[in-house]
Amino acid sequence: MILDVEVSAEEAGLEALGLLADRFPDVVSAELRRAMRDGGISLNGGPCTPGQHLALGDRVVVSDELTRIELAALPGFSVVYDSPTLLACIKPAGVAVEADRGDGGLRFKSAILHFLKRAKRHARPRVVHRIDKGTSGLVLVALS
């Protein structure tokens, strides 16, 4: 078991995905959703869904099956603008902005998390817009 937590008063009302994103900042949201879908995360002994609101005293259990994506540099990825609240990143062609189900290839969000981790910054990045997988270009990422 990786995590067995009882929801506190401060965490009550959060969505399950939000709580887990805070607890596992190096794991992209798509992997957390996959773990929920595959039964690797449970709420009060039953299934857990990303949008499920948590109540005081709920138990969230994350099993050993939760696999972390290896955070790594992405060839062709670069950050051309960096502020405390916004990144402007070059996305290379052939990489999806949002990971597809079953997509085992290189991931754009993983590259962003890798950049932030190397810079010793803690943020939960949110992509502001998308561009096609086959297109390279500038993508804005909100950090707050």
Side-chain angles (χ1 to χ4, degrees):
M1 189 170 321
I2 292 175
L3 175 72
D4 182 356
V5 65
E6 185 172 321
V7 175
S8 68
E10 296 84 35
E11 297 165 328
L14 288 176
E15 291 184 350
L17 184 61
L19 172 77
L20 293 168
D22 288 343
R23 297 290 178 111
F24 295 98
D26 292 346
V27 180
V28 294
S29 297
E31 281 297 299
L32 293 171
R33 284 188 189 93
R34 182 205 51 77
M36 288 178 184
R37 188 177 60 248
D38 294 348
I41 299 173
S42 65
L43 177 62
N44 299 324
C48 182
T49 60
Q52 218 166 343
H53 289 277
L54 303 173
L56 178 65
D58 279 350
R59 271 205 118 53
V60 178
V61 176
V62 179
S63 69
D64 293 331
E65 287 82 39
L66 178 64
T67 57
R68 294 176 184 242
I69 292 177
E70 184 74 29
L71 297 181
L74 177 65
F77 171 88
S78 64
V79 175
V80 296
Y81 178 79
D82 182 359
S83 80
T85 58
L86 182 73
L87 295 177
C89 307
I90 299 293
K91 181 198 82 70
V95 176
V97 171
E98 295 288 338
D100 297 329
R101 271 194 184 172
D103 183 13
L106 298 172
R107 300 184 184 197
F108 184 69
K109 279 194 174 177
S110 181
I112 295 166
L113 289 170
H114 175 70
F115 170 81
L116 292 170
K117 188 172 186 173
R118 285 185 55 224
K120 295 185 171 115
R121 292 171 58 193
H122 302 284
R124 196 73 189 166
R126 302 281 188 243
V127 174
V128 175
H129 64 96
R130 301 179 196 183
I131 57 178
D132 292 339
K133 183 176 182 174
T135 304
S136 64
L138 195 64
V139 176
L140 299 178
V141 180
L143 299 178
S144 70

